[in-house]
Amino acid sequence: MRYFSTRNSKTANLASEAILQGIAEDGGLFVDPQIRTRKVDLKSLLPCNYEQLANAILPIFLPDYSASDIEACVKHAYGSSFEHPDITPIVKVGTDYVLELFHGPTAAFKDVALSILPHFLTTAKEHLKDEREVIILTATSGDTGKAALAGFQDIPNTKIIVFYPKYGVSTIQEWQMITSKGNNVIVVGIEGDFDDAQRGVKEIFAKQLSNQKVQLSSANSINIGRLIPQVIYYFHSYLTLCRNHEITMHDLVNFAVPTGNFGNILAAYYAKLLGLPIHKLICASNQNHVLYDFIKTGQYNRNHSLHKTISPSMDILVSSNLERFLFELSDHDYSYISQLMNQLQSTGQYQVTDHLHNKIQDVLYPFYSNDEATKTAIRECFLSHQYLMDPHTAIAYQAAKDYQLQAESKIPTVIVSTASPFKFASDVYKALFGEGEHNDPFELMELLAFKTNTKIPASLAHLKDNQILHRDVIPADQMEIFVRTLLEERR
Ligand SMILES: *Cc1c(COP(=O)(O)O)cnc(C)c1O
């Protein structure tokens, strides 16, 4: 099995090469064109716990990793660093289910992938006998940054640089990042938004600055090593529902996914291709509803100004992983994908064929919401079910309700929860109790816990006592210089 770029059928890469490189040389994303021919035997996996399931599913994507390598990666990642024994527990809320992905070391769903990616990477280097230092470049809309910093902290022979939009993340998110420890971590604020940071990183990759001593790689979901681990929890949630007799094996379910860069929902689609009985993938967006418009009309158009919302991890206009989805649905039409992405680059938009548009609509149901409705959803869900949701999750919750109403569907729906409500404590508090005299986010975190009788995750509870260790802020167009300077120092 080999990974190919979405933009040409020529270069075939091993999984370890794809993970180490992060992005293909032609700017495309690594994909496995044979994925739809691989099938997972659900029945045999029914008794598996999370780690066992990971050990069963990961080899499909990583055929050049030995079973013992994979087991070691899984153990490092999930052996002891998650606060919940099920890793990704599922909770019944009313008639729906919530898949909680936020019990990792930084209270964000990105922990699930970023706890294991560094181990995939160091294993890849051993396979390839590549002794260069790896520098991980990461653009973050908030959560990736901290999860990547935690995952790579003190991993030998790696360095991680995180670029975040200085005024585009929550106070708690920023505080989590700028207090990061580790002798190999660098955190830099960008005077710009997430798209500026992501574009900056992609441009640095395009310049191919890797040299004899240093390999640049990515911890963003453009790296296939980020997506692969996310497939596991879709299976895990489904099998848990079977074991709990909430559904019967092979019943269809929907997943409602709060979507930004399209990585999480793409992992769900990959699970579907592998045989997980998924009916609809409900794609939930905020006021930045580029994806909603695309699914409705077949036209992708990023020429909008970015709205800042209370769900900042979804404040994105260019959803990178859509490229992988279109690749699969276009039956692997490399040149067509290449053409669309060139159009996006030069004009900021593209229109897909009617045929492709219909296929997209078969898989995805689009939804978007604004901040007011999201706050109302947080309040109503808490009042009806005593269940506390963060704003990202609350958008998926609304999306699930909207779909059920529109489709008059009784198919069970799993709402994917991507962050602890305490990561966005200020907005969650205000949604529940209104604007008050309190403004300090740390104080609000404690008040929220007290008034709702819920527990602050351990990783957030002591955050305010941590020291600020990173203070760099640079203009977005200085990112390349920043990285070049660092590489110069290594010659
Ligand atoms: C990253 C993130 C998302 C979006 O996930 P994608 O894989 O980028 O679509 C949603 N919610 C939260 C809290 C996130 O951190």
Side-chain angles (χ1 to χ4, degrees):
M1 180 268 237
R2 290 289 186 276
Y3 283 91
F4 291 82
S5 164
T6 42
R7 301 187 196 176
N8 85 73
S9 58
K10 307 252 157 39
T11 49
N13 289 273
L14 293 169
S16 38
E17 292 168 335
I19 288 173
L20 202 55
Q21 231 173 286
I23 186 164
E25 275 167 18
D26 58 11
L29 305 182
F30 287 115
V31 281
D32 165 18
Q34 297 299 320
I35 185 167
R36 63 172 91 160
T37 66
R38 308 180 202 290
K39 292 293 169 219
V40 167
D41 175 24
L42 275 179
K43 270 223 164 71
S44 69
L45 298 175
L46 188 60
C48 289
N49 68 18
Y50 199 93
E51 286 189 43
Q52 291 163 336
L53 198 59
N55 289 332
I57 291 175
L58 291 175
I60 301 171
F61 294 98
L62 305 171
D64 49 311
Y65 285 57
S66 70
S68 64
D69 280 343
I70 288 176
E71 281 166 28
C73 291
V74 167
K75 183 127 222 94
H76 276 300
Y78 307 120
S80 60
S81 53
F82 278 67
E83 275 189 55
H84 198 288
D86 295 344
I87 312 296
T88 58
I90 190 161
V91 198
K92 192 159 190 178
V93 175
T95 50
D96 301 310
Y97 305 92
V98 177
L99 170 58
E100 294 185 345
L101 301 180
F102 55 76
H103 295 281
T106 78
F109 99 93
K110 295 187 173 73
D111 287 325
V112 183
L114 283 162
S115 299
I116 199 163
L117 178 68
H119 304 290
F120 285 167
L121 232 134
T122 44
T123 310
K125 280 171 40 138
E126 282 163 24
H127 282 184
L128 301 170
K129 306 212 165 23
D130 186 335
E131 288 173 358
R132 290 178 292 174
E133 179 182 30
V134 182
I135 299 188
I136 306 292
L137 298 183
T138 301
T140 184
S141 57
D143 284 351
T144 303
K146 181 58 190 180
L149 290 160
F152 280 96
Q153 180 184 335
D154 294 328
I155 297 273
N157 218 9
T158 67
K159 184 166 224 79
I160 170 155
I161 311 177
V162 167
F163 296 105
Y164 74 95
K166 173 72 186 157
Y167 305 105
V169 300
S170 82
T171 310
I172 290 170
Q173 287 177 317
E174 180 175 35
W175 200 262
Q176 279 188 306
M177 289 189 276
I178 61 178
T179 60
S180 292
K181 298 199 182 81
N183 56 25
N184 63 338
V185 310
I186 296 177
V187 181
V188 185
I190 296 298
E191 290 163 0
D193 57 34
F194 170 71
D195 287 305
D196 295 324
Q198 175 157 266
R199 191 176 334 106
V201 165
K202 281 190 180 168
E203 281 170 10
I204 296 171
F205 278 116
K207 299 266 166 70
Q208 301 191 14
L209 301 180
S210 296
N211 60 36
Q212 256 99 47
K213 292 210 175 126
V214 179
Q215 160 91 54
L216 291 185
S217 190
S218 165
N220 282 104
S221 54
I222 52 176
N223 193 324
I224 189 72
R226 261 286 296 279
L227 294 178
I228 293 166
Q230 299 188 31
V231 175
I232 300 162
Y233 51 68
Y234 288 104
F235 280 93
H236 185 256
S237 63
Y238 187 89
L239 294 169
T240 307
L241 290 178
C242 290
R243 280 195 303 270
N244 296 349
H245 305 293
E246 298 286 344
I247 59 172
T248 307
M249 183 70 75
H250 306 303
D251 281 356
L252 288 168
V253 298
N254 304 309
F255 285 96
V257 187
T259 297
N261 222 359
F262 209 78
N264 203 3
I265 197 166
L266 181 73
Y269 180 62
Y270 283 173
K272 181 178 162 85
L273 292 178
L274 292 176
L276 195 68
I278 294 176
H279 178 60
K280 279 282 176 189
L281 292 173
I282 302 167
C283 178
S285 302
N286 65 22
Q287 198 68 9
N288 299 293
H289 48 79
V290 175
L291 280 170
Y292 173 89
D293 295 344
F294 175 60
I295 298 164
K296 280 275 178 204
T297 67
Q299 188 189 49
Y300 196 93
N301 186 353
R302 72 154 154 81
N303 300 316
H304 297 275
S305 48
L306 193 81
H307 294 277
K308 268 203 231 176
T309 71
I310 61 170
S311 46
S313 299
M314 296 155 67
D315 290 349
I316 292 179
L317 299 172
V318 180
S319 298
S320 298
N321 279 296
L322 194 59
E323 180 171 347
R324 286 184 164 113
F325 185 65
L326 298 178
F327 172 81
E328 189 54 40
L329 286 187
S330 71
D331 293 324
H332 314 153
D333 192 340
Y334 298 89
S335 65
Y336 180 60
I337 298 300
S338 182
Q339 187 193 322
L340 293 183
M341 294 304 133
N342 286 337
Q343 274 178 36
L344 181 66
Q345 178 87 19
S346 54
T347 67
Q349 52 184 320
Y350 58 78
Q351 170 86 43
V352 299
T353 61
D354 287 346
H355 178 64
L356 184 51
H357 184 211
N358 288 337
K359 286 170 90 175
I360 293 166
Q361 289 190 324
D362 280 345
V363 182
L364 301 177
Y365 177 83
F367 175 83
Y368 78 95
S369 180
N370 62 27
D371 285 353
E372 271 326 298
T374 299
K375 287 184 184 170
T376 304
I378 292 172
R379 189 167 57 245
E380 281 179 3
C381 180
F382 188 72
L383 291 177
S384 321
H385 310 294
Q386 288 72 55
Y387 187 79
L388 201 57
M389 298 184 294
D390 98 292
H392 304 78
T393 309
I395 295 176
Y397 178 84
Q398 296 166 72
K401 300 289 178 213
D402 181 69
Y403 175 72
Q404 286 156 355
L405 208 65
Q406 295 295 324
E408 298 181 10
S409 166
K410 293 249 179 325
I411 294 176
T413 302
V414 178
I415 294 152
V416 177
S417 175
T418 48
S420 157
F422 290 99
K423 251 193 124 155
F424 301 93
S426 306
D427 290 314
V428 173
Y429 184 90
K430 286 172 193 163
L432 291 177
F433 306 109
E435 308 273 338
E437 67 274 32
H438 302 285
N439 269 316
D440 174 48
F442 296 105
E443 198 180 324
L444 286 173
M445 207 187 314
E446 280 165 24
L447 271 175
L448 181 64
F450 179 72
K451 287 202 182 180
T452 61
N453 196 21
T454 45
K455 201 164 160 272
I456 304 177
S459 57
L460 297 177
H462 303 291
L463 193 58
K464 69 169 184 303
D465 305 324
N466 294 352
Q467 230 188 331
I468 296 181
L469 300 171
H470 308 273
R471 295 180 190 276
D472 284 338
V473 179
I474 62 172
D477 60 8
Q478 300 284 305
M479 289 168 62
E480 187 183 329
I481 295 287
F482 188 92
V483 173
R484 278 187 190 275
T485 310
L486 203 84
L487 293 180
E488 283 304 318
E489 287 166 8
R490 279 176 165 60
R491 278 178 191 275

